[in-house]
C-alpha cells in the first residue's frame, strides 16, 4: 500500500516509516526540513517536505492511506495543539477525501476519550486530539483511531493490550505503537474502530485481530 506518514521524523514516526518499509509498503515520509530527508531514505521512506501549518493537500496525491503521527510536542503551547494536532490532522482528512486515500489511521491519545477528566495543563492537547478524532469519525473514510498511553523510548516487546476501553492508564514503547499501526493498516476488522493501546502480554498481530 502507498502510505503518507505525517510526523515521519517524530519518535513514533521514524519507527512507523521503518516498519512499513520492512513490511513492503511504499512510504511517503512527510517532513518539515530537507535536512531530515537522508534519514527518511535510510529508514526506507521517500521524503516529502511540507508544513502542516501551511498547504499540505498535495502530499496525499497518489497515496492510498494516511497515518497521522504528527504533533506540536510536549513543549508547545495551546496554539500549536490547535494548528498541528487538530487542524493539521483535519487538513489531511480533507486531502484524503479529495485524493481518494480511503484509509486513515490516527495516532490519538488515551485521555482523548474524556478530555475533561485529564489534568488542567493537558486540556488543550486532549481537546485538540478529541476534535481531530471526531472529524475523522465523521469523514466517511475507513478510519482507525489508536489511543496509546504514555509513550516510552524502551525497545518494543511486540506485546500489547488493546481494547475500546482498557480501564487503566499505563505506558507503551513507541516502537510497539508503530508495530500496532502497521498491523492495523491492513486489518479490515479495525475499520471504523477506536481503541486504547498499552503494553501487555498479547502479540501485536493477535491483539489487533481480536479487536
Ligand atoms: N508523548 C506521549 O506520551 C503521547 C501519548 C499518546 C499519544 N501521543 C501522540 O503520539 C504521536 C507521536 O508522538 P511522538 O513522541 O512521535 O511525537 P514527536 O516525536 O514530537 O513527533 C511529532 C512529529 O510532528 C512533526 N511536526 C510538528 N509540527 C509539524 C508541522 N507544522 N508540519 C509537519 N510536521 C510537524 C515533528 O516534526 P520535527 O521532527 O521536524 O519536529 C515531529 O516529527 C503524537 O501525535 C503525540 O501527540 C503522545
Amino acid at each position: 500500500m502507498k502510505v503518507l506518514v505525517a510526523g515521519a521524523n517524530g519518535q513514533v514516526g521514524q519507527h512507523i516509516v521503518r516498519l512499513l518499509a520492512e513490511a513492503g509498503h511504499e512510504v511517503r515520509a512527510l517532513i518539515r526540513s530537507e535536512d531530515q530527508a537522508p534519514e527518511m531514505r535510510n529508514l526506507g521512506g521517500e521524503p516529502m517536505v511540507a508544513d502542516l501549518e501551511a498547504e499540505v493537500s498535495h502530499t496525499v496525491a497518489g497515496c492510498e492511506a494516511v497515518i497521522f503521527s504528527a504533533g506540536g510536542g510536549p513543549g508547545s503551547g495551546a496554539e500549536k495543539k490547535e494548528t498541528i494536532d487538530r487542524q493539521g490532522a483535519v487538513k489531511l482528512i480533507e486531502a484524503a477525501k479529495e485524493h481518494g486515500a480511503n484509509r486513515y489511521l490516527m495516532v490519538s491519545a488515551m485521555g482523548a476519550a474524556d478530555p475533561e477528566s485529564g489534568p488542567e495543563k493537558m486540556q488543550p492537547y486532549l481537546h485538540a486530539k478529541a476534535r481531530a478524532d471526531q472529524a475523522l469519525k465523521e469523514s466517511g473514510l475507513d478510519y482507525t483511531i489508536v489511543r496509546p498511553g504514555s509513550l516510552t523510548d524502551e525497545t518494543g516487546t511486540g506485546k500489547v493490550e488493546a481494547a475500546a476501553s482498557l480501564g487503566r492508564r499505563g505506558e507503551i514503547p513507541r516502537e510497539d505503537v508503530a508495530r500496532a499501526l502497521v498491523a492495523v493498516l491492513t486489518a479490515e476488522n479495525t475499520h471504523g474502530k477506536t481503541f486504547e493501546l498499552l503494553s501487555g502480554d498479547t502479540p501485536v498481530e493477535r491483539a489487533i485481530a481480536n479487536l
Side-chain angles (χ1 to χ4, degrees):
M1 206 181 272
K2 186 157 182 177
V3 189
L4 175 75
V5 179
N9 188 58
Q11 301 165 90
V12 175
Q14 292 194 20
H15 288 296
I16 298 172
V17 172
R18 174 176 55 83
L19 292 169
L20 282 174
E22 283 175 13
H25 296 289
E26 223 180 309
V27 187
R28 181 175 293 166
L30 197 154
I31 50 175
R32 278 202 283 189
S33 159
E34 194 59 47
D35 298 346
Q36 299 161 345
E39 180 57 16
M40 291 300 113
R41 291 195 186 93
N42 283 342
L43 293 169
E46 188 51 46
M48 185 179 275
V49 177
D51 186 342
L52 284 164
E53 292 184 291
E55 172 52 50
V56 284
S57 177
H58 61 285
T59 65
V60 184
C63 291
E64 298 157 87
V66 173
I67 301 180
F68 189 89
S69 184
S76 68
E79 189 204 332
K80 293 288 178 193
K81 312 300 184 205
E82 171 62 17
T83 58
I84 299 166
D85 295 68
R86 188 183 77 78
Q87 290 180 19
V90 170
K91 278 183 196 174
L92 290 182
I93 291 168
E94 294 308 320
K97 286 159 64 173
E98 184 188 330
H99 293 288
N102 286 329
R103 188 81 175 108
Y104 196 117
L105 275 48
M106 182 78 82
V107 182
S108 180
M110 212 162 209
D114 183 12
E116 299 294 332
S117 70
E120 182 66 30
K121 70 175 179 21
M122 297 281 285
Q123 292 291 311
Y125 171 69
L126 294 174
H127 277 291
K129 284 292 198 193
R131 288 185 186 126
D133 292 354
Q134 190 57 33
L136 183 56
K137 286 179 186 174
E138 293 166 2
S139 68
L141 296 170
D142 292 331
Y143 72 86
T144 307
I145 297 168
V146 182
R147 290 180 168 160
S150 298
L151 305 181
T152 74
D153 293 330
E154 307 294 307
T155 303
T157 64
K159 293 188 175 173
V160 299
E161 192 182 0
S165 176
L166 289 172
R168 68 178 178 98
R169 295 291 167 116
E171 296 184 338
I172 179 166
R174 288 180 164 87
E175 188 175 13
D176 283 336
V177 174
R179 280 193 185 136
L181 288 160
V182 174
V184 162
L185 181 65
T186 51
E188 289 189 14
N189 64 303
T190 67
H191 287 196
K193 288 192 180 155
T194 301
F195 68 90
E196 297 182 340
L197 187 70
L198 290 173
S199 286
D201 298 324
T202 310
V204 167
E205 283 73 18
R206 198 184 324 143
I208 299 306
N210 288 343
L211 282 166

